[in-house]
Amino acid sequence: MPPNALVVVGASAGGVEALRALVAGLPGDLPAAVLVVLHIPRQGPSALPGILTRAGALRAAAAVHGERLRGERIFVAPADHHMLVFDTRIALSRGPAENGHRPAVDPLFRSAAHAWGPRTIAVVLSGARDDGTAGADDVVQLGGRLLVQDPRDALHDSMPRSVLTHVKTDGVYPAAELGRAVTELVAAVAETDAAPVATDTDAPGVPVDTDAPLEDVDLGAGAVSLPSVGLACPDCGGGLFELPGEPTPRYRCWVGHVWSPGSLLDAQGVAFEKALWVALRGLDEKAELARRMADASQRRGRHRSADRFEEASREAQHAGRVLRGLIARLAAAGTPAEEPEQAG
């Protein structure tokens, strides 16, 4: 039998401790499936299932593509895969990253909201930037419930603050109290509309919407003429378009990479810094090559050529010093974007 409710949890930086506290408050007989996305590096397995199993009464395991949802169980998104919900099954996708992440919070929230509607309970925990806001809005718009970790309790408060700013919530709690709040909501939603039931089409091979190109995705009115924002996708270089009907601006390229403003700004900053280092390397190589050519010209008695090469080397060295100073000032002006937290 499918569970009575679906609990979807999203976390990023600082999320492991918040997840431990949340899971510790969940009973072992919770009649709901709990699906967890933590933004983690794409390489290597996640230690999160073991951490959460030890933290509370529910058993946690890495999700498997096509697995049927069950109550009294925690399903954890594996590295480098989006975790989505279709009817009573889990689908894993290696579709385009969202906000630079795979797994990402928003695809899970969005798919759960469309599949389970008012029986969906979303929980947003500690994290940087504004991930999860768009997905949380989908949950609420389709009748689901939303709980948020108190920003004052979060190690990184950007994610919960963004959700609280843009989406109506059902409660704000410290992580240690979220387990009780989730349990109460599960009991409440069990009295609402019936949960999804398995159908003949409820199979592991069901198409995954995040794999579809932009022109194949139902964006409602304006899908034919989405406004271009005149920016390039940091992941693939394609043009970005603004998605309609979102609580905050979101941008998507034709192949499906999706960005919130904060994530896009951070990704552009990373790309800009990389470009500066490439330019600096080029200047250093130019200075060294010009110096060698100057030495060779001197040995051959070509003093005019040697002087020109020496001047070229000095100019490249000067430009390199200016560029190094710019890189140092940029680093001092702002804290680099936080890396996704690795479980364990």
Side-chain angles (χ1 to χ4, degrees), residues 136-180:
D137 184 65
D138 286 336
V139 170
V140 172
Q141 292 297 327
L142 292 171
R145 307 295 188 92
L146 175 61
L147 299 174
V148 180
Q149 182 181 6
D150 189 332
R152 296 169 297 182
D153 179 63
L155 290 177
H156 297 268
D157 64 2
S158 298
M159 263 177 62
R161 284 195 186 279
S162 176
V163 173
L164 289 172
T165 299
H166 297 100
V167 188
K168 181 181 178 181
T169 67
D170 289 273
V172 182
Y173 302 91
E177 298 179 17
L178 279 169
R180 173 188 56 79

Side-chain angles (χ1 to χ4, degrees), residues 2-343:
N4 290 336
L6 189 65
V7 180
V8 289
V9 185
S12 188
V16 173
E17 292 193 11
L19 283 165
R20 281 191 183 121
L22 164 63
V23 168
L26 296 175
D29 59 352
L30 184 73
V34 181
L35 280 68
V36 174
V37 164
L38 173 69
H39 291 160
I40 58 175
R42 298 186 188 180
Q43 296 78 28
S46 170
L48 188 60
I51 293 173
L52 298 185
T53 296
R54 293 189 295 272
L58 295 175
R59 188 169 80 84
V64 176
H65 183 64
E67 186 174 10
R68 198 174 292 279
L69 293 169
R70 298 167 54 188
E72 305 178 6
R73 183 67 58 86
I74 300 173
F75 303 87
V76 178
D80 203 26
H81 289 81
H82 292 308
M83 179 168 62
L84 305 106
V85 178
F86 289 93
D87 292 330
T88 60
R89 289 187 185 270
I90 291 174
L92 299 182
S93 165
R94 297 193 66 183
E98 295 208 16
N99 293 334
H101 298 293
R102 189 173 63 218
V105 174
D106 286 323
L108 171 62
F109 282 14
R110 184 168 60 245
S111 66
H114 283 276
W116 283 65
R119 293 230 176 184
T120 307
I121 301 167
V123 184
V124 177
L125 301 176
S126 172
R129 298 191 291 268
D130 49 6
D131 303 304
T133 298
D137 184 65
D138 286 336
V139 170
V140 172
Q141 292 297 327
L142 292 171
R145 307 295 188 92
L146 175 61
L147 299 174
V148 180
Q149 182 181 6
D150 189 332
R152 296 169 297 182
D153 179 63
L155 290 177
H156 297 268
D157 64 2
S158 298
M159 263 177 62
R161 284 195 186 279
S162 176
V163 173
L164 289 172
T165 299
H166 297 100
V167 188
K168 181 181 178 181
T169 67
D170 289 273
V172 182
Y173 302 91
E177 298 179 17
L178 279 169
R180 173 188 56 79
V182 167
T183 304
E184 292 174 354
L185 279 184
V186 168
V189 301
E191 301 173 1
T192 64
D193 298 337
V197 295
T199 65
D200 292 339
T201 59
D202 183 21
V206 68
V208 176
D209 63 352
T210 52
D211 287 332
L214 183 59
E215 61 267 32
D216 292 339
V217 177
D218 181 13
L219 296 173
V224 178
S225 56
L226 290 175
S228 172
V229 295
L231 299 172
C233 174
D235 276 355
C236 67
L240 289 175
F241 301 83
E242 185 168 351
L243 295 173
E246 300 288 338
T248 60
R250 286 210 309 156
Y251 311 108
R252 183 169 180 167
C253 70
W254 285 104
V255 299
H257 298 115
V258 179
W259 300 91
S260 66
S263 297
L264 179 59
L265 187 63
D266 284 347
Q268 288 177 328
V270 170
F272 179 58
E273 182 179 343
K274 183 182 295 185
L276 290 178
W277 285 112
V278 170
L280 180 60
R281 184 200 66 198
L283 287 170
D284 287 347
E285 291 177 351
K286 179 181 179 180
E288 176 62 18
L289 178 60
R291 186 190 62 77
R292 293 187 182 190
M293 294 179 72
D295 291 344
S297 295
Q298 286 285 8
R299 289 194 297 270
R300 295 179 181 135
R302 299 174 179 174
H303 302 298
R304 280 186 161 181
S305 294
D307 289 344
R308 288 197 300 270
F309 286 130
E310 284 286 359
E311 179 63 21
S313 178
R314 286 193 295 270
E315 289 179 353
Q317 289 174 341
H318 174 71
R321 287 193 294 271
V322 171
L323 196 53
R324 287 181 189 276
L326 175 60
I327 293 172
R329 287 196 297 274
L330 289 173
T335 303
E338 296 158 276
E339 291 292 324
E341 183 163 341
Q342 172 65 60

